[in-house]
Amino acid sequence: MHDHARDHRIDLSIVVPLHNSAMVLARTVERWVDYLTEGHHEIILVENGSTDITWALAQEVARDNPHVSFQLARSDKGMGNALRRGIELTRGRHVLLTADDLPFDFTDIEQARTLDPRPRIVVGSKAHPESEVSRDVHRKLYTYGYRQFRRALLGSKVGDSQGTIIADGDWLRQVVGHVDEPGFLFTTQLIFIAELQGVSISEVPVVLSSDHSPKPSTVRVSDVWDMGLGLLRLRKGRTRINAELTAEVVE
């Protein structure tokens, strides 16, 4: 049984949602273990509704070593549900929210380490002008539209709310209870809360992994509709979130 209060020995907690991740999981874990060769870190693998052998494979590859310890968890289906569960289990000074296929290799972490002072939140941002990210024209248009909707509806100044996120662990564990989005809007809501609080946020450039060659967009009209409805839902929730955060400060 783990004590999930902050552990000062753990520098970085890495939260990886898993959904039908059997094809990439072993390679991703191997690369993390090869990269994290100093200090102590933890990797939290959260399976959410897979229909393949992801859960069995996660149990197989999660092998502690002197620099990396593992935690395994399951959540309801949905990336947001998996991220929330993983955050609740973290103990590290910093927390990285990333994907199961290491989209940016380790360029997001390396860039974050160059920041002094370190902001509360660092976003590995595809929108950063120095990022090297190749995408087809349809995905570019979708991403641009999503950014404009976020700016118009939420007043968000962050270019990419769905990149990887490296956050101060204490802050993230404190606010995660206010983030109730179950799916892909989880990180958008998290960034929205951070902006409401006036938390320091920096976006850093990333390089898309060579494994992520440009692919045709799978964005559908229904996805655009869901995006708009989701952002409206976040906007309507602003009053609730502000009231909850204010109540915490008063307490």
Side-chain angles (χ1 to χ4, degrees):
M1 181 68 66
H2 290 285
D3 176 6
H4 299 120
R6 176 169 168 175
D7 185 333
H8 292 272
R9 297 170 301 170
I10 298 176
D11 180 60
L12 181 66
S13 298
I14 302 155
V15 178
V16 185
L18 304 177
H19 181 77
N20 292 341
S21 303
M23 295 293 292
V24 298
L25 178 56
R27 175 59 175 154
T28 294
V29 168
E30 178 185 11
R31 293 178 67 192
W32 273 116
V33 170
D34 288 344
Y35 178 75
L36 300 171
T37 57
E38 297 181 358
H40 190 65
H41 316 273
E42 64 177 359
I43 297 176
I44 301 170
L45 304 175
V46 187
E47 189 279 323
N48 65 110
S50 297
T51 56
D52 63 3
I53 63 169
T54 293
W55 180 243
L57 185 58
Q59 293 172 301
E60 181 179 326
V61 300
R63 296 286 180 262
D64 293 352
N65 68 59
H67 299 290
V68 182
S69 60
F70 286 85
Q71 294 192 61
L72 298 179
R74 304 186 90 163
S75 74
D76 292 338
K77 185 176 179 181
M79 184 179 69
N81 290 327
L83 288 172
R84 184 182 307 103
R85 179 60 179 146
I87 292 167
E88 291 169 350
L89 295 173
T90 61
R91 299 170 292 166
R93 188 159 56 96
H94 299 102
V95 176
L96 168 65
L97 308 181
T98 187
D100 62 359
D101 54 357
L102 266 179
F104 309 133
D105 289 323
F106 306 106
T107 55
D108 46 1
I109 294 178
E110 297 296 335
Q111 288 290 334
R113 287 174 175 165
T114 67
L115 301 179
D116 186 21
R118 181 82 165 255
R120 284 276 183 90
I121 297 177
V122 179
V123 179
S125 173
K126 299 180 293 295
H128 194 285
E130 296 178 20
S131 288
E132 299 178 24
V133 180
S134 298
R135 290 171 291 182
D136 68 88
V137 64
H138 293 96
R139 184 163 293 278
K140 286 181 179 179
L141 287 172
Y142 174 81
T143 301
Y144 176 79
Y146 183 68
R147 189 184 313 166
Q148 297 308 310
F149 270 121
R150 278 194 298 108
R151 185 179 295 273
L153 294 176
L154 305 181
S156 179
K157 297 181 180 179
V158 173
D160 182 7
S161 66
Q162 294 187 301
T164 55
I165 291 178
I166 306 171
D168 175 86
D170 290 338
W171 174 82
L172 188 57
R173 286 183 286 270
Q174 182 181 10
V175 303
V176 69
H178 302 290
V179 190
D180 57 6
E181 281 294 322
F184 77 99
L185 280 174
F186 181 92
T187 54
T188 296
Q189 187 180 25
L190 180 65
I191 293 293
F192 181 44
I193 290 173
E195 290 185 298
L196 289 176
Q197 285 187 313
V199 166
S200 55
I201 305 173
S202 290
E203 295 183 78
V204 295
V206 291
V207 177
L208 191 66
S209 166
S210 58
D211 297 336
H212 289 68
S213 56
K215 299 176 183 177
S217 175
T218 58
V219 175
R220 301 165 297 181
V221 173
S222 60
D223 295 326
V224 177
W225 178 254
D226 289 343
M227 171 199 74
L229 291 177
L231 291 175
L232 284 171
R233 184 169 64 248
L234 294 187
R235 180 176 178 175
K236 290 179 180 178
R238 182 199 305 247
T239 302
R240 172 189 64 82
I241 292 172
N242 272 328
E244 292 175 354
L245 295 174
T246 301
E248 284 189 356
V249 171
V250 171
E251 291 175 3

